[in-house]
Amino acid sequence: MGRLVALGVLGIALALLGERLLALRNRLKVSREIESIDLPNCHLIKGIEAGAEDIDILPNGLAFFSAGLKFPGLHSFAPDKPGGILLMDLNEERARALELRISRGFDLASFNPHGISTFIDDDDTVYLFVVNHPEFKNTVEIFKFEEEENSLLHLKTIKHELLPSTNDIIAVGPMHFYATNDHYFSDPFLKYLETYLNLRWANVVYYSPSEVKVVAEGFDSANGINISPDKKYIYVADILAHEIHVLEKQPDMNLTQSKVLPLDTLVDNLSIDPFSGDVWAGCHPNGQKLFVYNPNNPPSSEVLRIQNILSEKPTVSTVYANNGSVLQGSSVASVYDGKLLIGTLYHRALYCEL
């Protein structure tokens, strides 16, 4: 009798594991293939060879790139080179991406930048917020951008127990931000288990010098985050749930769910057109190709444009798609004055004239 019970328990456990594996394959969209949709006026950006995971563009056309992200289990074309922040002036005819100098005293050797966000203060001071993973830990670095010197002055390093697996960030003040945690845990094995079991414990955190709190939770894997031009709504990409969440910002900085937009792809970072309010998303059509890198079958790229996201029926269009022959693993798409920049998790970056 005891053996029958043990056998039954084993059978249930194997069935559960099989169901979870099938669910994970569906969340990764392992069987999805795409057809290329080209734009006529595009070229790869010189100086970006090992990823531009996130991009943020100032109103004056200066674009910041977060370059060289390295993560356990993630492919890298430059595993021994520290990451950096690059700058590109989109007003120049032959714009180039150049690495910014960072002030002395900051640990450049372990710099591993991920999501980024800019904030312009009332006195026109530009702050750059960077999610950093030194030695695969989690910090948020705040810099002051010194345009005349083409450099970043490091102001502060933030660590907090509510930021265990930080992915992306949106600045809402000189020392204030919302950040996504793509996992509840920081330990790599527990992260994998959390993903495999689909616990949906990922969250969004609000940080200020006087208060740090979880303001939204229940995500499969909270990833990109941004804010509407009127500052009333926060947009969060849930990459493994294939969704964009629209959250209304409250006076106490808490977030309440307004709507969820389902999509047919793994949505990474989100950028906002400041004039139209359109949401631009860098996406991964097939997540397995992204994490199990095969140069003969590389990860593909996809850029979506979402118009009227607050309406009952937003318009979702695919602006760019590539099977990996040109661009592998698109993670972000940002627009400025008829120009489109597409960054990737660990590959190249593309500049297009729309």
Side-chain angles (χ1 to χ4, degrees), residues 92-263:
E92 294 180 355
E93 261 190 51
R94 297 182 179 180
R96 298 177 58 198
L98 301 174
E99 187 165 354
L100 290 173
R101 292 184 296 105
I102 297 179
S103 58
R104 292 182 180 179
F106 182 74
D107 185 2
L108 293 172
S110 67
F111 193 32
N112 192 9
H114 199 167
I116 61 174
S117 177
T118 56
F119 179 81
I120 304 175
D121 212 346
D122 293 336
D123 61 359
D124 293 330
T125 299
V126 176
Y127 297 93
L128 178 69
F129 292 64
V130 181
V131 174
N132 186 22
H133 303 293
E135 299 175 349
F136 304 130
K137 295 180 175 64
N138 293 271
T139 66
V140 172
E141 313 293 346
I142 302 179
F143 299 91
K144 177 184 174 183
F145 174 51
E146 299 183 318
E147 185 174 353
E148 292 184 2
E149 291 79 22
N150 267 350
S151 65
L152 296 171
L153 175 65
H154 184 247
L155 301 178
K156 188 174 184 178
T157 295
I158 295 170
K159 301 177 185 178
H160 197 277
E161 60 183 7
L162 291 182
L163 298 169
S165 186
T166 320
N167 186 299
D168 197 16
I169 191 168
I170 180 68
V172 292
M175 293 285 165
H176 311 68
F177 60 83
Y178 290 97
T180 56
N181 284 306
D182 51 30
H183 291 81
Y184 179 82
F185 297 107
S186 57
D187 177 80
F189 174 75
L190 292 177
K191 281 186 177 184
Y192 175 79
L193 195 62
E194 180 185 344
T195 299
Y196 188 81
L197 296 176
N198 193 14
L199 296 180
R200 300 188 71 89
W201 288 356
N203 57 36
V204 177
V205 169
Y206 171 71
Y207 177 94
S208 74
S210 59
E211 183 180 32
V212 186
K213 59 183 178 179
V214 174
V215 291
E217 53 192 341
F219 300 95
D220 189 341
S221 183
N223 198 292
I225 186 169
N226 219 308
I227 192 168
S228 61
D230 61 10
K231 313 302 181 187
K232 293 181 179 179
Y233 296 93
I234 297 291
Y235 306 130
V236 177
D238 193 334
I239 186 168
L240 290 179
H242 323 130
E243 298 170 340
I244 295 176
H245 291 246
V246 179
L247 305 165
E248 189 171 1
K249 187 160 67 73
Q250 303 301 320
D252 61 0
M253 307 308 286
N254 285 328
L255 303 176
T256 56
Q257 185 88 265
S258 178
K259 66 179 296 182
V260 178
L261 177 66
L263 298 165

Side-chain angles (χ1 to χ4, degrees), residues 35-66:
E35 294 184 6
S36 290
I37 298 175
D38 296 320
L39 291 170
N41 302 304
C42 294
H43 65 266
L44 293 169
I45 300 173
K46 292 182 180 179
I48 299 178
E49 311 288 340
E53 199 277 339
D54 203 5
I55 301 170
D56 200 1
I57 305 175
L58 294 177
N60 63 3
L62 293 180
F64 294 88
F65 297 78
S66 165

Side-chain angles (χ1 to χ4, degrees), residues 26-29 32 224 235-246 259-271 279-286 302-309 313-319:
N26 290 334
R27 286 153 66 209
L28 290 172
K29 292 195 169 289
R32 186 172 182 234
Y235 306 130
V236 177
D238 193 334
I239 186 168
L240 290 179
H242 323 130
E243 298 170 340
I244 295 176
H245 291 246
V246 179
K259 66 179 296 182
V260 178
L261 177 66
L263 298 165
D264 189 36
T265 189
L266 281 75
V267 192
D268 201 322
N269 287 316
L270 306 174
S271 299
V279 179
W280 290 76
C283 305
H284 308 290
N286 185 317
E302 186 175 28
V303 171
L304 299 183
R305 179 187 184 187
I306 299 109
Q307 297 169 280
N308 302 312
I309 193 169
K313 292 185 178 180
T315 302
V316 180
S317 54
T318 303
V319 176

